[in-house]
């Protein structure tokens, strides 16, 4: 009888212990579900960011388009596309602008706000774990390049834009696909750029980057990027001695360090510096004997800028 009572008490204690454990697990699950619900409810419907700064020149894909100072800025707004439990990513609009601070390109592009590049884009991060440390970030973008001062490109009779002095400038257009494998260590990324309005040409830039936070509110991101251009992409970087019959290949390499200090939740300051090189042998030879302003003439150069950033 005594043994039976002991066994009964032990069974009751075990039952209570398991019940308490089950209750704790249920509470943890409920808290997690509530946290996820709160995070979902707190996720902004509309969000965006922007920046504006002064740069030592106009650098594009590791090549120098203008060796003298410019002002450049970007502004973007997005809407989250969440329908019930479905996360459909985000849809947004953006616009980039350039202003030359010297007269070096005035005859060709004008000067103040001589380039506007609006875009429409859709993006989504496909997370691979519940903690959202690993994921594939994807973004598709259509970009229009508009030069408002009428010294560049114009449509011909076939509807294609071509380079011609003395005519109002129209636009060129790119269709871009950007991917990055997000992780806590080293982030590889690749951008596929198809220029379909001018030359039906392709460009691919790819590299790796890593963000560090040496102190609170400060983020330092070093990166290295390589740029592949096909033979038709020559139009964007004209250089005497370089022809479209040349095969495509890895054209440039860019080492870059970006730094951002967040002053408040919505306002920060940024600075960046880069060292760029033409690494294609034939391109370097063409640059030695080239002409056509700064396009492709600088084989190796340093570039950088600083300014203010916002997010909302």
């Amino acid at each position: 009888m005594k043994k039976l009572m002991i066994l009964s008490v032990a069974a009751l204690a075990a039952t209570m212990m398991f019940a308490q454990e089950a209750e704790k697990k249920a509470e943890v699950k409920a808290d997690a579900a509530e946290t996820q619900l709160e995070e979902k409810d707190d996720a902004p419907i509309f969000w965006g960011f922007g920046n504006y700064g002064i740069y030592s020149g106009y650098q594009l894909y590791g090549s120098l388009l203008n060796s003298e100072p410019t002002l450049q800025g970007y502004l973007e707004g997005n809407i989250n596309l969440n329908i019930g439990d479905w996360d459909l990513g985000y849809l947004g609009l953006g616009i980039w602008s350039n202003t030359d601070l010297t007269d070096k390109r005035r005859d060709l592009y004008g000067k103040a706000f001589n380039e506007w590049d609006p875009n429409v884009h859709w993006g989504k991060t496909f997370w691979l774990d519940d903690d959202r440390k690993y994921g594939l970030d994807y973004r598709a973008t259509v970009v229009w390049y508009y030069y408002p001062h009428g010294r560049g490109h114009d449509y011909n009779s076939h509807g294609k834009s071509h380079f011609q002095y003395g005519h109002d400038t129209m636009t060129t257009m790119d269709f871009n696909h950007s991917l990055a494998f997000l992780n806590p260590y080293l982030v590889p990324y690749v951008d596929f750029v198809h220029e379909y309005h001018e030359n039906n040409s392709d460009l691919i830039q790819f590299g790796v980057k890593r963000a560090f936070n040496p102190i609170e509110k400060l983020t330092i991101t070093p990166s290295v990027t390589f740029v592949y251009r096909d033979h038709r992409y020559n139009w964007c970087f004209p250089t005497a001695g370089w022809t479209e019959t040349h095969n495509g290949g890895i054209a440039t390499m860019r080492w870059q360090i970006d730094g951002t200090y967040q002053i408040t939740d919505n306002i920060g300051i940024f600075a960046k510096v880069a060292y760029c090189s033409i690494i294609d042998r034939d391109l370097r030879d063409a640059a030695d004997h080239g002409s056509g302003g700064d396009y492709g003439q600088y084989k190796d150069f340093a570039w950088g800028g600083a300014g203010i950033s916002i997010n909302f």
Side-chain angles (χ1 to χ4, degrees):
M1 184 71 178
K2 191 174 183 180
K3 291 182 179 180
L4 181 60
M5 290 180 63
I6 293 174
L7 289 174
S8 299
V9 171
L12 179 61
T15 302
M16 292 178 64
M17 182 180 67
F18 286 129
Q20 290 176 352
E21 186 67 22
E23 185 177 356
K24 286 181 181 179
K25 289 182 178 179
E27 289 177 355
V28 169
K29 289 182 179 180
D31 290 342
E34 185 177 356
T35 300
Q36 290 179 357
L37 184 61
E38 289 177 355
E39 289 179 351
K40 187 174 181 180
D41 291 339
D42 292 340
I45 298 176
F46 177 78
W47 57 276
F49 59 89
N51 58 71
Y52 202 79
I54 184 171
Y55 296 84
S56 61
Y58 185 159
Q59 178 265 147
L60 178 66
Y61 299 130
S63 291
L64 197 62
L65 276 63
N66 184 4
S67 61
E68 297 183 355
T70 68
L71 293 173
Q72 297 178 354
Y74 182 73
L75 183 64
E76 174 175 311
N78 301 287
I79 297 176
N80 283 328
L81 304 176
N82 295 324
I83 302 176
D85 294 331
W86 290 6
D87 178 7
L88 302 180
Y90 62 91
L91 183 68
L93 301 172
I95 188 165
W96 183 90
S97 69
N98 178 79
T99 290
D100 290 345
L101 293 179
T102 67
D103 291 334
K104 186 168 187 176
R105 304 196 308 162
R106 179 186 288 273
D107 291 340
L108 185 60
Y109 290 102
K111 185 176 177 180
F113 296 105
N114 53 18
E115 182 177 348
W116 294 93
D117 300 343
N119 74 74
V120 58
H121 54 264
W122 174 83
K124 177 176 169 57
T125 300
F126 300 88
W127 295 107
L128 304 178
D129 64 326
D130 294 335
D131 295 331
R132 297 194 170 192
K133 291 184 178 180
Y134 299 87
L136 180 64
D137 188 64
Y138 171 74
R139 176 161 163 152
T141 309
V142 178
V143 187
W144 291 265
Y145 298 85
Y146 178 61
Y147 309 93
H149 298 315
R151 297 176 175 87
H153 315 84
D154 191 18
Y155 286 113
N156 60 24
S157 59
H158 300 291
K160 290 291 185 179
S161 177
H162 65 288
F163 192 79
Q164 187 171 353
Y165 288 101
H167 288 70
D168 289 341
T169 298
M170 301 303 288
T171 68
T172 62
M173 290 171 274
D174 285 353
F175 187 28
N176 305 344
H177 300 273
S178 301
L179 299 101
F181 176 60
L182 305 181
N183 64 84
Y185 307 106
L186 195 63
V187 177
Y189 56 89
V190 59
D191 300 317
F192 299 93
V193 179
H194 179 64
E195 193 285 305
Y196 60 87
H197 187 242
E198 292 285 350
N199 276 2
N200 192 31
S201 56
D202 294 292
L203 179 147
I204 303 171
Q205 65 173 356
F206 58 93
V208 292
K209 60 184 177 181
R210 168 72 189 274
F212 298 91
N213 296 102
I215 61 174
E216 187 179 1
K217 298 184 178 182
L218 176 64
T219 302
I220 303 294
T221 307
S223 62
V224 57
T225 305
F226 296 87
V227 177
Y228 166 89
R229 301 201 306 247
D230 72 2
H231 68 280
R232 289 184 300 274
Y233 219 94
N234 173 49
W235 183 91
C236 293
F237 306 93
T239 302
W242 163 264
T243 66
E244 290 190 10
T245 58
H246 181 81
N247 292 327
I250 305 297
T252 62
M253 176 177 63
R254 182 178 73 245
W255 299 89
Q256 184 164 316
I257 298 178
D258 292 82
T260 302
Y261 184 80
Q262 205 65 32
I263 300 173
T264 69
D265 290 339
N266 302 107
I267 300 175
I269 55 176
F270 73 88
K272 59 182 63 184
V273 62
Y275 184 79
C276 307
S277 294
I278 295 176
I279 58 177
D280 183 278
R281 181 182 301 177
D282 293 331
L283 279 177
R284 291 185 70 87
D285 291 341
D288 286 333
H289 306 91
S291 61
D294 292 331
Y295 288 78
Q297 308 311 309
Y298 285 79
K299 297 184 295 183
D300 309 287
F301 64 93
W303 168 86
I308 188 169
S309 61
I310 62 170
N311 61 79
F312 52 90

